[in-house]
Amino acid sequence: QVQLVESGGGSVQAGGSLRLSCAASGRTIYTYAMGWFRQAPGKEREFVATISWSSGSTYYADSVKGRFTISRANAKNAVYLQMNSLKPEDTAVYYCAAGPDRPHITLPYEYRYWGQGTQVTVSS
């Protein structure tokens, strides 16, 4: 069993930055890949970024590449999403998820465990 708790959301003006955190617990957490997804009102949940807990390899959606950075801190069992140059279209609820440790897994159904989400609002 894996438990995920997100934090760090909030409101920011366009061009600003936020850092999301995901605290993970569970005996087998290091065998998973960790992902960030987001869901805006009336839209489907979309992939943002993923990182392999074992290797540290990362993969990003084109819409956030160069602006967002996913990272992990093994000692803290934490995964982070540093978001820079935020745009109004980044406004969404952001979710942390744990899935199989395979490269480039981007579909929500591939992830088994989910956090409760944290709201990010970017104003113009």
Side-chain angles (χ1 to χ4, degrees), residues 1-4 23-34 53-54 74 77-79 97-99 101 113:
Q1 190 74 8
V2 173
Q3 293 82 42
L4 304 172
S25 61
R27 290 173 51 192
T28 59
I29 191 63
Y30 297 112
T31 64
Y32 288 90
M34 302 298 296
W53 209 299
S54 58
N74 288 3
N77 279 11
V79 176
D101 197 2
Y113 299 103

Side-chain angles (χ1 to χ4, degrees), residues 56-67:
S57 65
T58 59
Y59 184 69
Y60 297 90
D62 287 342
S63 59
V64 306
K65 201 173 295 182
R67 300 188 298 123

